Amino acid sequence: MSKGHVHIIGAGVVGLATAASLVQRGYAVTIVDREGPAAGASQGNAAAIAWTDVAPMASPGLWKQAIKWLADPLGPLSIRPAYALAILPWMLRFLAASSRKRVARSTEALVELNGAALPAWENLWRASGTHNQVRRDGCLELFDTDASLSDARSGWAEQRGYGIEVEELTAARLRELEPDLSERVVGGALVPGWIQVDEPKQLCLTIASWLESQGVHFETGEVAQILPRENGCELLLKDGSRTDVECLVIACGAWSRALAGQLGDRIPLDTERGYNITVPEPGVSVKRMIMLPGHGFVMSPLSTGLRVGGAVEFGGLSLPANWKRVDAMVAKARLFYPGLKTEGGKRWMGFRPSLPDSLPVISPASGHANIFYAFGHAHHGLTQSAVTGELIADMIDGTGPLIDPAPFRADRF
């Protein structure tokens, strides 16, 4: 007998993982999405379970680097002129979150959340039968200047302090691991605990198929309005249809802010637009994920080809894509892998739902006991999805939380 019926808005990886946790605890689940599973950022991410990445984007020294990047309109960080005024309040909050005290608090919260992320994924992989879609080859961080390599060492020391293994490697050793790498690299590190999935969209679709076999119902529709009731709420869809809901989870990524606002929660969610290209025959061998922190992009070998992607562009949800950003990333990637080919590559742009303090919202809605939030994971949506699902299920179940949920509450802003 069902413990209750939960509706989830959003069929990305966070919504799917939340449904998985709930259905295993005996809840009936319906997922509502305007397009279907993995139609947004969940299909185009870099495929990493980056639980070892515990540094918030906001940091005391980032602004010095950011100013350099902003000078290049095709660099790792850009703001579209038409969106500059709209993003200003978010940027001011980001600046406030960059103080040493705030960064320390955010880091502690990320260490806890990401520390539980991999065990949560191990549970989900076992339950859904997707453990065979996982690679455990680690990740290489590469640097092409002695200064950037030196700067990275303090971050590696902090990771080691949290029990995360980081092995610094010489340029010669890096080229032994990645023979097609150019002479440009001066050094780097291997993070062996980093985990990658074969192909993020396929992983989501396989989990969605398993959820259907467990009785989860998928509906296509766009929620226009949430009308709270004494016990639950009513969903009004854009096609005019209405649905009575006893318990609701909002997990629709970049589109979550407007729905939370209807419930009285003014959450400073905005979007970091990310770009990539996936090349089926890249002409070079990339054996594991490559991170290039000084240039703001990654190279990720997938079962469908090599994905070159990353960067941050603030431009909201409606401005057209600037595909020159993909060309700029490819040009930089060829400095490290000169033989890289892009013929037949598929370009993509997606929206990372981001909050100024680099922490997601995993929380009940303010003043609405049966409505919950699971969004704002920025660059770590895939990484943190399974643990987010477990935390939301804990809240709905009324059981003791896996970790302290206070840093992720909706009313912290």
Side-chain angles (χ1 to χ4, degrees):
M1 186 175 180
S2 171
K3 294 169 70 173
H5 194 160
V6 181
H7 281 69
I8 299 171
I9 304 175
V13 67
V14 174
L16 296 173
T18 302
S21 290
L22 288 167
V23 77
Q24 290 180 85
R25 300 189 191 201
Y27 288 88
V29 178
T30 296
I31 300 179
V32 182
D33 191 278
R34 60 181 187 161
E35 295 181 77
S42 295
Q43 69 172 298
N45 62 66
I49 310 296
W51 68 272
T52 60
D53 186 0
V54 295
M57 279 196 65
S59 63
L62 182 64
W63 284 96
K64 192 179 296 184
Q65 181 71 62
I67 290 170
K68 294 179 183 177
W69 283 347
L70 284 169
D72 179 1
L74 297 178
L77 171 65
S78 71
I79 300 173
R80 297 284 282 269
Y83 201 68
L85 284 178
I87 196 60
L88 182 59
W90 191 97
M91 285 293 184
L92 292 175
R93 287 179 178 271
F94 183 80
L95 179 61
S98 299
S99 71
R100 292 191 182 279
K101 186 176 181 180
R102 294 276 303 277
V103 168
R105 287 205 305 265
S106 293
T107 301
E108 289 175 8
L110 283 173
V111 167
E112 274 219 74
L113 187 65
N114 285 3
L118 184 55
W121 261 116
E122 298 283 8
N123 292 338
L124 180 51
W125 286 325
R126 279 194 301 270
S128 61
T130 52
H131 54 282
N132 60 344
Q133 297 186 33
V134 182
R135 304 178 186 182
R136 303 177 187 269
D137 301 317
C139 170
L140 291 177
E141 295 184 22
L142 306 182
F143 297 89
D144 57 351
T145 68
D146 290 328
S148 60
L149 177 61
S150 178
D151 289 344
R153 291 187 177 117
S154 61
W156 296 338
E158 186 174 12
Q159 285 176 292
R160 293 185 188 109
Y162 292 117
I164 297 166
E165 185 180 355
V166 182
E167 180 185 356
E168 184 171 353
L169 302 176
T170 65
R173 177 59 180 146
L174 289 167
R175 278 186 282 275
E176 287 178 7
L177 294 175
E178 296 287 339
D180 287 352
L181 200 57
S182 75
E183 296 292 324
R184 184 182 183 92
V185 174
V186 300
L190 171 67
V191 185
W194 185 288
I195 289 176
Q196 185 177 356
V197 300
D198 283 343
E199 214 292 334
K201 183 175 182 177
Q202 185 56 51
L203 175 66
C204 288
L205 293 178
T206 307
I207 292 173
S209 179
W210 171 75
L211 287 171
E212 285 188 306
S213 75
Q214 302 301 300
V216 173
H217 180 58
F218 287 82
E219 294 183 359
T220 302
E222 185 171 358
V223 177
Q225 193 171 4
I226 300 172
L227 305 170
R229 299 284 186 257
E230 186 174 343
N231 294 309
C233 62
E234 183 181 26
L235 301 184
L236 175 62
L237 275 61
K238 284 197 171 180
D239 64 6
S241 60
R242 294 173 178 265
T243 302
D244 288 324
V245 172
E246 62 182 81
C247 184
L248 179 69
V249 179
I250 299 175
C252 49
W255 287 266
S256 300
R257 180 178 67 179
L259 296 178
Q262 293 178 14
L263 301 170
D265 284 313
R266 308 300 176 189
I267 296 173
L269 180 75
D270 216 296
T271 58
E272 298 177 47
R273 293 149 61 110
Y275 291 81
N276 68 44
I277 183 170
T278 305
V279 186
E281 299 291 340
V284 294
S285 172
V286 180
K287 300 179 182 298
R288 58 184 57 75
M289 180 169 282
I290 304 292
M291 291 189 68
L292 296 141
H295 299 278
F297 71 96
V298 304
M299 303 178 71
S300 180
L302 308 179
S303 59
T304 51
L306 179 65
R307 179 163 291 170
V308 180
V312 171
E313 178 188 72
F314 290 99
L317 293 169
S318 59
L319 291 177
N322 178 8
W323 296 118
K324 290 181 180 179
R325 295 185 63 75
V326 172
D327 298 335
M329 277 191 289
V330 167
K332 287 184 177 180
R334 286 190 174 127
L335 297 176
F336 295 88
Y337 284 85
L340 176 64
K341 299 176 182 178
T342 58
E343 290 79 4
K346 182 178 180 181
R347 299 181 178 196
W348 180 87
M349 187 270 285
F351 305 100
R352 306 182 190 102
S354 300
L355 290 153
D357 60 2
S358 300
L359 303 179
V361 174
I362 309 170
S363 166
S366 302
H368 303 285
N370 293 321
I371 302 177
F372 299 84
Y373 299 144
F375 57 78
H377 298 79
H379 297 251
H380 293 104
L382 182 62
T383 299
Q384 297 167 352
S385 54
V387 66
T388 295
E390 291 191 0
L391 285 168
I392 292 292
D394 286 341
M395 293 174 189
I396 292 173
D397 232 5
T399 57
L402 184 69
I403 63 171
D404 180 10
F408 314 104
R409 68 187 188 277
D411 62 356
R412 70 182 188 265
F413 301 102

